[in-house]
Amino acid sequence: MQHWWQQQFPKGCQFAQIEDANQQMVNIAYGEKGQGKTLILLHGWGLWSYAWHKNIDPLAEHFRVICLDFKGSGFSDKPAKPEIVGHQIIETINFIKQVSDEPVILLGESLGGLVALGVAEQAPELIDQLIVVDAAIFPKKMPNLGMYLLGIMPLGLVRFADRLRLARLFYPVIYYVVKMSHAQTHHKIPVEKLKKAIQQNIYPYYHFPNAITKLIEDTKIGINELLKQERGEPNFLTEVQQKLETIQCPTLILWGEKDIWFPVAHAERLHSILPDSQLTVLPDCGHHATSDASETVNQAVIEFGTQVEKS
């Protein structure tokens, strides 16, 4: 998929060296296209920058669009050191500081939406406007059985296989989980395009060492935090939820009407908490709204992102 970066972005796949949550230097893969105000796109669980392939070109006509792969995902570094809870927030903050001298528009979908909210809480000075799509902010459990099964796989065994470059042995499992997720989240995707979409999304997991290890490691972290939340113990999700009302920047909430992972009630709850927010529910749209309703999402982002300039 290296050719995708070359075709999609004028400079292809670039790398920003940042300090990660473990205070180690890592390379974060990203692509950049367009001019104007910086718009940074944060992908969801198990995905990488390719998830935005329907959005990059239309948005780049109005913004300086930057797609990044979270550490451990896509083409970014996959260090062996265990991750800490919420590492994506710390690393996104450091990435923004690296690529922009001015406050940015931050757009996140699903897990990326949760990260975007966390960034707006911890580093409000970096964010001018915030956009979240089907954000994973009020989950009670893992969205589907496949994710849960992936999360309980023995991490030692997976890491051992990764070291021996035997990650392809897990290809059927990864393919099954991603196929299940796509079937549930892409409400409108034609069946004949499903296989191609899955193959493109999981490409990094059987081409890069330690990719599957990092996916399972982050999934285990998510499961553990949900269990803590269920038991009423201190946890990452509750911490982010309790600070939502501190987010003062203008926020656009986009939500698929037929999102079976995170229902519209989650969007309404988020809208009621955020002081300066507006909510748009996307009809006949599933969880992956940036793909299901790409034209509608793109137009909403353009109108929201340029409204200050028009006023």
Side-chain angles (χ1 to χ4, degrees):
M1 292 295 291
Q2 185 67 44
H3 68 280
W4 177 79
W5 292 95
Q6 302 299 332
Q7 294 172 355
Q8 186 65 70
F9 302 103
K11 295 183 180 180
C13 183
Q14 302 180 76
F15 293 93
Q17 189 174 68
I18 66 165
E19 184 177 88
D20 72 358
N22 290 318
Q23 299 183 323
Q24 295 183 327
M25 301 306 294
V26 296
N27 292 309
I28 300 298
Y30 73 98
E32 178 179 343
K33 190 171 191 176
Q35 296 181 338
K37 194 168 188 176
T38 300
L39 169 64
I40 295 181
L41 311 181
L42 307 180
H43 61 78
W45 176 90
L47 303 176
W48 56 290
S49 290
Y50 179 79
W52 301 98
H53 68 279
K54 291 186 178 181
N55 315 101
I56 296 167
D57 285 344
L59 295 179
E61 294 180 7
H62 302 269
F63 308 102
R64 175 196 177 209
V65 175
I66 295 179
C67 295
L68 69 99
D69 293 348
F70 286 134
K71 185 188 71 178
S73 300
F75 286 64
S76 289
D77 281 354
K78 301 159 184 64
K81 191 169 183 177
E83 303 299 342
I84 67 170
V85 179
H87 68 90
Q88 297 96 335
I89 293 177
I90 297 171
E91 289 148 10
T92 300
I93 290 172
N94 291 340
F95 177 83
I96 294 173
K97 291 177 180 178
Q98 184 90 322
V99 300
S100 181
D101 295 327
E102 299 179 348
V104 305
I105 305 172
L106 190 60
L107 165 56
E109 182 175 49
S110 194
L111 171 63
L114 172 63
V115 173
L117 290 165
V119 171
E121 292 173 354
Q122 294 189 24
E125 72 281 0
L126 299 180
I127 311 302
D128 187 57
Q129 292 169 283
L130 183 65
I131 306 170
V132 295
V133 186
D134 299 294
I137 183 61
F138 299 118
K140 296 297 183 183
K141 59 181 181 180
M142 296 301 287
N144 65 32
L145 178 62
M147 287 184 184
Y148 177 77
L149 294 176
L150 196 64
I152 63 174
M153 290 181 66
L155 187 59
L157 175 62
V158 177
R159 185 178 288 116
F160 178 74
D162 247 338
R163 287 173 183 166
L164 296 181
R165 303 302 301 271
L166 299 176
R168 287 178 180 269
L169 293 176
F170 296 94
Y171 177 84
V173 178
I174 300 297
Y175 185 91
Y176 169 76
V177 173
V178 175
K179 179 180 179 181
M180 178 187 296
S181 298
H182 273 65
Q184 293 176 342
T185 61
H186 291 70
H187 181 64
K188 297 178 182 178
I189 190 168
V191 176
E192 62 272 14
K193 293 185 178 180
L194 181 60
K195 184 175 181 180
K196 180 181 179 181
I198 295 171
Q199 290 174 335
Q200 290 168 326
N201 279 320
I202 68 175
Y203 173 89
Y205 293 109
Y206 57 94
H207 275 81
F208 297 120
N210 218 35
I212 294 179
T213 298
K214 302 310 285 187
L215 174 66
I216 293 176
E217 185 179 357
D218 275 335
T219 305
K220 285 180 177 292
I221 289 175
I223 291 174
N224 191 46
E225 292 305 298
L226 286 168
L227 289 174
K228 288 180 181 179
Q229 179 179 247
E230 184 179 338
R231 295 192 296 260
E233 300 173 359
N235 64 90
F236 170 74
L237 283 168
T238 300
E239 288 178 6
V240 176
Q241 293 165 7
Q242 291 175 342
K243 296 178 183 177
L244 287 172
E245 61 184 15
T246 67
I247 298 176
Q248 299 297 318
C249 65
T251 304
L252 174 63
I253 303 168
L254 300 175
W255 219 274
E257 177 190 32
K258 297 185 177 180
D259 187 341
I260 64 173
W261 281 11
F262 309 129
V264 173
H266 290 195
E268 294 169 344
R269 180 180 174 187
L270 182 61
H271 177 44
S272 70
I273 297 174
L274 296 180
D276 187 5
S277 65
Q278 52 185 279
L279 168 62
T280 298
V281 177
L282 307 172
D284 195 31
C285 177
H287 176 71
H288 196 42
T290 55
S291 179
D292 258 8
S294 57
E295 293 184 5
T296 303
V297 169
N298 293 339
Q299 188 59 39
V301 171
I302 291 167
E303 291 179 0
F304 180 73
T306 59
Q307 65 183 6
V308 175
E309 299 173 6
K310 293 178 181 177
S311 61

